[in-house]
Amino acid sequence: MTKCLFLFSSLFASLCVTLSSTFSSHNPIKLPTATDSPKPLNLHKAKSTSTLFDDSIVVADLEIQVSPDGTYLMSSTDEGALRGFVCLGKIPNSDSSCPDGAFKYNGEGGSSRTAIRLIPYTNIGSIHENQDFNIQFSEYNSGCSNYTTWKVEEHGASIKGVSLVSTRGGTIGQVDSSWFRLVSFSYEYATGYRLLHCPGPIMCPTCTSDACNIVWMVMVEGRRLQIAGHVTQDSEGNIYPLVVGFDTS
């Protein structure tokens, strides 16, 4: 009996050593450490990109459908001091002889306004949500016809972390054009459309609106807010939300 117990104990000890060796050398178990970073979850999965006809038509006041052939006044629909129309104006410290930026005057709705056109890459009769288009002011000073098309400037051109919208060198329908989209949006203080700055249909024909940047407003001078095509988390400036609506001009 003693021999049997001794033999069993020897075999069990040998088996434990073998298993320990196997797991430590061939199947190591990695425990999390304080320096391990969790992988971010993809919360913006691409939706179906079947056809633009599936998306809602953008409407102006009185439920009038926004058309590529029409001109409209774009406004911030905020209920407070941020409410007011978008207009063409002179960028502070600009050496241009023409108005060369997209602004919204802050306070009491503002008195300045400039009509715009939305020029889509694909004309399907009306402007739809999630549709790529360029923006062009339809009114301008004499001799300034080349300062009408919106262009998102290079990042951090004048304010750190902010890419402002100017009208210097803007193009229509090109790969280097500044492309925009609209999506329905509502929050406590405003209802209308989010204006998005997007990669564009030439550079990225399959991109959904999740690949776009939200357009904001940034205080640049006195009561003037300039439209910003992109803002980063480390931006330096007073940034305000922009929810837009359209009035027939």
Side-chain angles (χ1 to χ4, degrees), residues 9-84:
S9 299
S10 299
L11 289 172
F12 181 76
S14 176
L15 178 61
C16 288
V17 170
T18 301
L19 288 174
S20 174
S21 175
T22 300
F23 277 98
S24 62
S25 60
H26 299 290
N27 298 287
I29 300 174
K30 182 182 179 182
L31 297 176
T33 67
T35 58
D36 288 338
S37 300
K39 293 182 179 180
L41 296 176
N42 181 8
L43 300 179
H44 298 285
K45 293 182 179 179
K47 66 177 184 178
S48 171
T49 55
S50 50
T51 143
L52 289 172
F53 289 102
D54 293 337
D55 291 310
S56 300
I57 294 175
V58 175
V59 294
D61 55 330
L62 304 177
E63 296 301 307
I64 296 174
Q65 295 182 0
V66 174
S67 164
D69 300 322
T71 60
Y72 305 89
L73 297 173
M74 179 189 288
S75 65
S76 166
T77 62
D78 191 279
E79 295 177 355
L82 294 178
R83 189 177 187 87

Side-chain angles (χ1 to χ4, degrees), residues 7 17 27 34 91 95 100 106 114 117 148 152 163 169 175 179-180 184 190 193 195 200 232 237:
L7 180 60
V17 170
N27 298 287
I91 293 177
D95 59 1
D100 54 354
N106 189 24
T114 309
R117 294 177 58 218
T148 58
V152 177
S163 299
V175 66
W179 295 94
F180 299 90
S184 295
Y193 299 95
L195 183 62
T232 64

Side-chain angles (χ1 to χ4, degrees), residues 121-122 132-133 174 179 181 198-206:
Y121 183 71
T122 302
D132 291 294
F133 56 83
Q174 305 300 315
W179 295 94
R181 294 184 186 184
C198 303
I202 302 174
M203 181 179 294
C204 188
T206 60

